Amino acid sequence: MKVKLKCFAKLSEGDVCDFTGNNEKEISEGETVGSLISRLGFSQEEVKVTFLNGRIVDFDAVLGDGDQVGLAPPQLGF
């Protein structure tokens, strides 16, 4: 299963993901937004807002195949 990943502001500066939303990441069945964030090497303190298919969700939201995930840092003023 795969999700598309989009990172905003400072989170997009590394090689993990960018702001285009074209980065695909493999996920396991039942994986959550929080576990994906950890696996990508981000701490939950670095990610202030998480989006799942355009909606703000908590870290415990379960991911599914084809989902679109967005990660935003605290600096954006959310």
Side-chain angles (χ1 to χ4, degrees), residues 16 35-44 46-47:
V16 176
S35 64
L36 175 63
I37 289 169
S38 295
R39 198 163 49 85
L40 294 172
F42 296 126
S43 70
Q44 290 187 357
E46 291 176 283
V47 180

Side-chain angles (χ1 to χ4, degrees), residues 56-69:
I56 296 174
V57 296
D58 292 325
F59 292 126
D60 61 353
V62 177
L63 300 170
D65 190 36
D67 281 346
Q68 295 180 345
V69 179

Side-chain angles (χ1 to χ4, degrees), residues 8-9 11 19-20 22 25 29-30 32-34 36-37 39 45 50-51 54 61 67-68 72 74 78:
F8 297 95
L11 297 177
F19 62 90
T20 66
N22 292 324
K25 301 294 180 190
E29 187 171 335
T32 64
V33 172
L36 175 63
I37 289 169
R39 198 163 49 85
E45 291 77 29
T50 57
F51 300 93
D67 281 346
Q68 295 180 345
F78 288 108

